[in-house]
Amino acid sequence: MLATVIHAPRDIRVETVPDPVLSTGADAIVKVVAACVCGSDLWPYRGVTPTDEPHRIGHEFIGVVEAIGEDVAVVAVGDFVIAPFYVCDNTCANCRNGVSTSCLNGGWWGSDDRVGGFADGGQGERVRVPLADGTLVVVPGPVGDDEVPGLLTLADVMGTGHHAAVSAGVSAGDSVAVVGDGAVGLCAIIASKRLGATTIIAMSRHPERQALARRFGATHIVEERGAEGVARVQELTGGIGADRVLECVGTKESMDQAIRSTRPGGMVGYVGAPNGGPELPVRPLFNRNVGVNGGVAPVRGYIEELLPDVRSGAIEPGLVFDLELPLADAAEAYAAMDERRATKVLLRP
Amino acid sequence: MLATVIHAPRDIRVETVPDPVLSTGADAIVKVVAACVCGSDLWPYRGVTPTDEPHRIGHEFIGVVEAIGEDVAVVAVGDFVIAPFYVCDNTCANCRNGVSTSCLNGGWWGSDDRVGGFADGGQGERVRVPLADGTLVVVPGPVGDDEVPGLLTLADVMGTGHHAAVSAGVSAGDSVAVVGDGAVGLCAIIASKRLGATTIIAMSRHPERQALARRFGATHIVEERGAEGVARVQELTGGIGADRVLECVGTKESMDQAIRSTRPGGMVGYVGAPNGGPELPVRPLFNRNVGVNGGVAPVRGYIEELLPDVRSGAIEPGLVFDLELPLADAAEAYAAMDERRATKVLLRP
């Protein structure tokens, strides 16, 4: 089959690789309907993280089950499924606590799982899915082709934006500022509105993303950064800062912006993978009782909650996809996101 | 009147100082019934923070109102009152949000307030209390002398321990680990039990403090530190770590201990004033979805909630005082705490 392989920074190729096979009994083989490129895929693409040898890449996909192992009881051949960006059993103590990203038996796409061998990366034609009953969520059919972008966001970005809002404790009547206008930041706006926030401030300088932010529920746009950005957020929140600030970038600058934009006693919800590991400055947090909560988003646990709203059209996260390409053009998908010509690219095998 | 003055590290004197006088109209003069020495008073005592010139010290006291300004409406002469360790109006946006330590009009004992001049430090015979209606909480009389230690803890340590538990989100059935066995850590154990925690792990190496921790509700004692301490907490919590960890020290080591002892998806509540400003390591927080919440405790807002339980004896935070001295012996009070001969010292003018 065909799948995407990264050979080196800015060297993305779609190549013939071995077909996946069932191995553990708990596996499924899923034929990919759509996959996408994640902001975090750009790290090895840009050389921020090293690529020592060619390897498979990708971790967001939806598809149809083609085969199942003999121990698979929930998922059936023919089911349309959403895979979160990781593997989990959905039964261990951490999964039961809602932190399936810390599953005691889980793993990551594009690497060896502990018992069954290699689990494909998702940017390909098929994937071996370990722990299929825990990992996959079935979408009751029939599934329309126009539903594909929205459903695909539940594999990562919509659930991740939701996690930022949940981690910050967004609730009815809150003021929320969102730092970052990428796909996750935009989904965090959707999530904030859905959870009842009444003031939603999008920090964005891009006219097209500003427009999408407004469509998703942003009530205000702030273009300023740094101290000026903090001052603007305070102006819009009675002089004290936002109740909740959602950090959806992952740099030291964006985290500082988030912390300083939060009111005393407020909370930063963060999901931007810390790029280079910025440390959190404890004194400004302590003095103003600003909390920081979040991390790698356990989206598996959010899919059932968000799915009805995606299917009904109550929320429209699929709009974050502004480019669709065939899998064969994966290299162009990476380039478009790297050069910020696209917010989020959908790939069809 | 007599009051405590710090001249230099380890140079504490009780001296005659001017009597406080009403100045703003919103003030009260409180005759101190009892005051105490805070762990944070040891910072200048030990020279960790500089003492450039002699100045008044102390910030925890209870007493009886002797005089009020013409704008004071709630507090009356003769009232027995508890003062939190700071001044606040209890009406501004931050106070209404429960963060009276960030009061827009507030201030700190032992320094000039913005409009009325100097506000005494509390380790003295009398105090000028700015914003008396906001700052002071009246204890309905009569107040027994045996109630003094318990009531005095509401000025700081009991409310601060409670804030650690509230910030961490302690609720019924939780497992909680408490890092730090000083007065605040011991009060955090009381607070955790009061909020319904069923497993309460005290990390302590002092036999007397261990005994008090058990009396307050600790179900387990862990003497180990570092990786061994983490392993012991995990053993006691189904292998994953505590739901909530309360950091009541304020050093880099104690915060690291707290973060590593928390289960994925759990929360660290911290109230230990960051000594030297340790930064928080974001990667271990992000990867395991461990949040950090807390800060300088807004105890003013907790006094009404905790007062009935203190008065009924349902909780016994007054037991943290293991030494009582006359105000004239303030120097010995500091020495006893500095040398760890006492956990917490009560001073009587």
Side-chain angles (χ1 to χ4, degrees):
Chain A
M1 69 165 189
L2 294 174
T4 306
V5 177
I6 183 168
H7 284 253
R10 296 178 203 280
D11 184 0
I12 293 283
R13 307 178 199 174
V14 176
E15 300 177 347
T16 298
V17 301
D19 282 334
V21 292
L22 296 173
S23 64
T24 68
D27 295 346
I29 305 295
V30 170
K31 182 169 195 280
V32 175
V33 169
C36 49
V37 180
C38 180
S40 66
D41 289 331
L42 297 182
W43 292 11
Y45 184 80
R46 290 171 173 161
V48 175
T49 54
T51 297
D52 297 329
E53 51 184 28
H55 62 82
R56 302 273 284 283
I57 190 166
H59 54 258
E60 303 175 26
F61 64 94
I62 56 178
V64 174
V65 176
E66 277 196 340
I68 57 173
E70 65 273 20
D71 302 329
V72 175
V74 178
V75 172
V77 171
D79 280 348
F80 193 103
V81 290
I82 301 170
F85 63 86
Y86 55 89
V87 169
C88 61
D89 66 14
N90 211 29
T91 58
C92 78
N94 288 332
C95 284
R96 291 198 308 275
N97 281 330
V99 199
S100 49
T101 40
S102 292
C103 176
L104 298 171
N105 300 301
W108 307 96
W109 301 115
S111 62
D112 282 340
D113 80 10
R114 300 180 197 189
V115 290
F118 185 73
D120 308 79
Q123 293 170 8
E125 291 183 298
R126 284 177 182 75
V127 175
R128 182 180 77 84
V129 176
L131 300 170
D133 280 342
T135 303
L136 298 173
V137 178
V138 176
V139 182
V143 176
D145 193 62
D146 59 332
E147 295 191 79
V148 163
L151 296 175
L152 184 54
T153 66
L154 294 175
D156 188 340
V157 289
M158 183 60 225
T160 296
H162 180 70
H163 186 59
V166 168
S167 298
V170 172
S171 59
D174 276 350
S175 59
V176 176
V178 179
V179 180
D181 62 359
V184 171
L186 292 165
C187 288
I189 292 169
I190 295 174
S192 297
K193 183 180 179 189
R194 185 176 170 279
L195 292 168
T198 44
T199 297
I200 302 175
I201 302 163
M203 304 193 79
S204 170
R205 292 173 164 172
H206 300 75
E208 288 170 20
R209 298 183 185 190
Q210 290 175 357
L212 202 50
R214 288 212 181 262
R215 175 162 178 171
F216 285 166
T219 54
H220 303 83
I221 304 290
V222 167
E223 295 199 344
E224 293 85 349
R225 303 270 172 90
E228 288 179 26
V230 172
R232 285 284 295 134
V233 171
Q234 289 179 339
E235 263 178 56
L236 296 168
T237 54
I240 57 174
D243 296 323
R244 316 286 158 194
V245 179
L246 313 186
E247 195 289 307
C248 304
V249 181
T251 62
K252 174 168 171 45
E253 290 71 25
S254 60
M255 182 57 92
D256 285 350
Q257 185 78 63
I259 291 170
R260 294 168 62 200
S261 301
T262 310
R263 71 158 169 84
M267 182 77 85
V268 174
Y270 76 118
V271 292
N275 195 339
E279 306 298 89
L280 301 177
V282 72
R283 259 290 168 190
L285 296 171
F286 182 86
N287 290 349
R288 300 172 65 247
N289 273 282
V290 170
V292 175
N293 193 29
V296 55
V299 301
R300 168 64 183 83
Y302 297 137
I303 295 175
E304 283 97 338
E305 177 185 348
L306 297 171
L307 184 59
D309 284 1
V310 170
R311 298 201 81 179
S312 74
I315 60 176
E316 302 176 295
L319 294 174
V320 299
F321 290 106
D322 50 0
L323 181 61
E324 182 173 325
L325 293 171
L327 175 63
D329 292 344
E332 164 56 12
Y334 277 76
M337 280 182 61
D338 176 47
E339 297 160 17
R340 297 181 78 88
R341 289 183 279 116
T343 302
K344 185 89 176 163
V345 184
L346 188 148
L347 292 171
R348 298 248 194 186
Chain B
M1 69 167 188
L2 294 174
T4 306
V5 177
I6 182 167
H7 284 254
R10 294 175 205 281
D11 184 359
I12 294 281
R13 308 180 198 172
V14 176
E15 301 178 347
T16 299
V17 301
D19 281 335
V21 292
L22 296 174
S23 64
T24 68
D27 295 346
I29 304 296
V30 170
K31 183 169 196 280
V32 175
V33 169
C36 50
V37 180
C38 180
S40 66
D41 290 330
L42 297 181
W43 292 12
Y45 184 80
R46 290 171 174 161
V48 176
T49 53
T51 298
D52 296 329
E53 52 184 29
H55 62 82
R56 303 273 284 282
I57 190 167
H59 54 258
E60 302 175 28
F61 64 95
I62 56 179
V64 175
V65 177
E66 277 197 338
I68 57 173
E70 65 273 19
D71 301 330
V72 174
V74 177
V75 172
V77 171
D79 280 348
F80 193 104
V81 291
I82 301 169
F85 63 84
Y86 55 90
V87 169
C88 62
D89 66 14
N90 211 29
T91 58
C92 79
N94 289 331
C95 284
R96 290 197 309 275
N97 282 329
V99 199
S100 48
T101 40
S102 292
C103 176
L104 298 172
N105 300 301
W108 307 96
W109 301 115
S111 61
D112 282 340
D113 81 9
R114 299 179 199 189
V115 289
F118 185 73
D120 308 78
Q123 291 170 7
E125 292 183 296
R126 284 178 183 75
V127 176
R128 182 181 76 85
V129 177
L131 300 170
D133 280 342
T135 302
L136 299 173
V137 179
V138 175
V139 182
V143 177
D145 193 63
D146 59 334
E147 295 192 78
V148 163
L151 295 176
L152 184 55
T153 67
L154 294 176
D156 189 339
V157 289
M158 183 60 224
T160 297
H162 181 69
H163 186 57
V166 169
S167 298
V170 173
S171 59
D174 276 349
S175 59
V176 176
V178 178
V179 180
D181 62 1
V184 171
L186 292 165
C187 288
I189 292 170
I190 295 174
S192 297
K193 182 179 180 190
R194 184 176 170 279
L195 292 168
T198 45
T199 298
I200 301 176
I201 302 163
M203 304 192 78
S204 170
R205 291 173 165 174
H206 301 75
E208 288 171 21
R209 297 184 185 190
Q210 291 175 357
L212 202 48
R214 289 215 181 260
R215 175 161 178 171
F216 285 165
T219 56
H220 303 82
I221 304 288
V222 167
E223 296 199 344
E224 293 84 349
R225 304 270 172 90
E228 286 179 27
V230 171
R232 284 284 295 134
V233 171
Q234 289 178 341
E235 262 178 58
L236 297 168
T237 54
I240 57 174
D243 296 321
R244 317 285 157 194
V245 179
L246 312 187
E247 194 289 306
C248 303
V249 181
T251 63
K252 176 169 169 46
E253 291 69 27
S254 61
M255 181 58 91
D256 285 350
Q257 185 79 63
I259 291 170
R260 294 168 62 199
S261 300
T262 310
R263 71 158 168 83
M267 182 77 85
V268 174
Y270 75 117
V271 292
N275 195 341
E279 305 298 270
L280 302 176
V282 71
R283 259 290 167 191
L285 296 171
F286 182 87
N287 290 351
R288 301 172 65 246
N289 273 282
V290 170
V292 175
N293 193 29
V296 55
V299 301
R300 168 63 183 83
Y302 297 136
I303 296 176
E304 283 98 338
E305 177 184 347
L306 298 171
L307 183 59
D309 284 1
V310 171
R311 299 202 80 180
S312 73
I315 60 176
E316 303 176 295
L319 294 174
V320 300
F321 290 105
D322 50 1
L323 181 60
E324 183 174 324
L325 293 171
L327 174 64
D329 292 345
E332 164 58 12
Y334 277 77
M337 281 182 62
D338 176 46
E339 295 161 21
R340 297 181 77 89
R341 290 184 277 116
T343 302
K344 184 90 176 162
V345 184
L346 187 147
L347 292 171
R348 298 249 194 185

